[in-house]
Amino acid sequence: TQLLEQSPQFLSIQEGENLTVYCNSSSVFSSLQWYRQEPGEGPVLLVTVVTGGEVKKLKRLTFQFGDARKDSSLHITAAQPGDTGLYLCAGINSGYSTLTFGKGTMLLVSP
Amino acid sequence: GAGVSQSPSNKVTEKGKDVELRCDPISGHTALYWYRQSLGQGLEFLIYFQGNSAPDKSGLPSDRFSAERTGGSVSTLTIQRTQQEDSAVYLCASRRGGTRTDTQYFGPGTRLTVL
């Protein structure tokens, strides 16, 4: 069974602070996705990273895929209350048709 | 255009009763997934439909759970003889094609509470 561990589980910060959340596995994934989920809604895809060492930027969000394709990080610069939500990482393996999700990091950004 | 819709949004049932949850995927999407999300447990894969292929049922937790997809569109997840541990949010997602990295679009979910 492939597992994805996310840390921290909870993060409460003030507006304007920077933060990093992590997604780690002992397994190699062919690609990895990050989602954000708001209360009462389904997850929404933020980014897909495919190449080991790849870095993608989405405005204030920076995503990195580890060189060995076993881990990933999400860095948010100058967090805003609108960034509040549950951040989920999901691994894709070429041998499977489905995603393996981590349990998520719940982020609360206070004004 | 319309996204993935699910109904009902909330369902409260008594232990032992059967429930049916419905998912309307985005029109033209060939892939459809069901997930279960419990507090603190992340998203747990249940079942996957791709076109006319046999569904991947490897995530169904017991034989009380079943799902069908009629005409390659609407899907129904059925839970028979519900138990309290079935309480969770059930999410449906659809994807346009057969490429795994294509975007999965999620519905808002059905919150199931088994008393």
Side-chain angles (χ1 to χ4, degrees):
Chain A
T1 302
Q2 297 179 305
L3 294 175
L4 280 169
E5 300 287 339
Q6 290 191 243
S7 61
Q9 289 184 323
F10 302 99
L11 190 55
S12 180
I13 62 172
Q14 296 294 120
E15 181 176 3
E17 293 184 23
N18 301 331
L19 67 115
T20 303
V21 297
Y22 300 92
C23 175
N24 295 292
S25 176
S26 58
S27 303
V28 174
F29 289 96
S30 58
S31 57
L32 193 139
Q33 296 181 328
W34 284 91
Y35 292 79
R36 182 170 69 208
Q37 184 178 20
E38 299 186 18
E41 303 291 332
V44 175
L45 180 67
L46 297 174
V47 77
T48 301
V49 286
V50 179
T51 306
E54 181 178 4
V55 176
K56 280 191 174 179
K57 293 191 175 184
L58 184 66
K59 297 183 180 178
R60 293 176 295 99
L61 278 60
T62 301
F63 304 85
Q64 183 164 8
F65 200 14
D67 290 340
R69 290 185 285 124
K70 292 182 178 181
D71 55 86
S72 182
S73 64
L74 160 58
H75 182 79
I76 302 179
T77 303
Q80 299 177 1
D83 296 326
T84 292
L86 179 67
Y87 288 81
L88 295 159
C89 65
I92 301 171
N93 194 299
S94 59
Y96 299 88
S97 302
T98 60
L99 302 177
T100 300
F101 279 88
K103 294 183 180 181
T105 293
M106 183 65 220
L107 172 65
L108 174 62
V109 183
S110 302
Chain B
V4 177
S5 61
Q6 293 187 244
S7 61
S9 55
N10 284 283
K11 176 72 176 178
V12 180
T13 190
E14 294 179 348
K15 178 181 173 181
K17 296 286 182 69
D18 298 350
V19 295
E20 285 189 351
L21 312 180
R22 177 187 169 105
C23 172
D24 283 85
I26 294 173
S27 178
H29 280 197
T30 62
L32 186 148
Y33 297 80
W34 282 98
Y35 295 90
R36 178 168 68 177
Q37 187 173 30
S38 305
L39 190 64
Q41 292 301 313
L43 269 73
E44 175 189 9
F45 162 72
L46 297 177
I47 189 169
Y48 163 57
F49 296 89
Q50 174 59 57
N52 296 319
S53 301
D56 177 353
K57 303 179 182 179
S58 61
L60 295 178
S62 77
D63 59 7
R64 296 186 296 106
F65 288 73
S66 63
E68 62 177 19
R69 188 178 185 191
T70 54
S73 182
V74 172
S75 179
T76 302
L77 176 68
T78 301
I79 308 174
Q80 296 179 311
R81 304 180 303 280
T82 52
Q83 304 294 313
Q84 288 184 332
E85 60 263 28
D86 299 335
S87 296
V89 175
Y90 289 81
L91 291 161
C92 172
S94 71
R95 191 184 70 204
R96 181 181 57 188
T99 304
R100 296 178 187 89
T101 55
D102 281 349
T103 301
Q104 289 192 24
Y105 294 89
F106 284 82
T110 293
R111 180 174 296 277
L112 174 66
T113 302
V114 182
L115 301 177

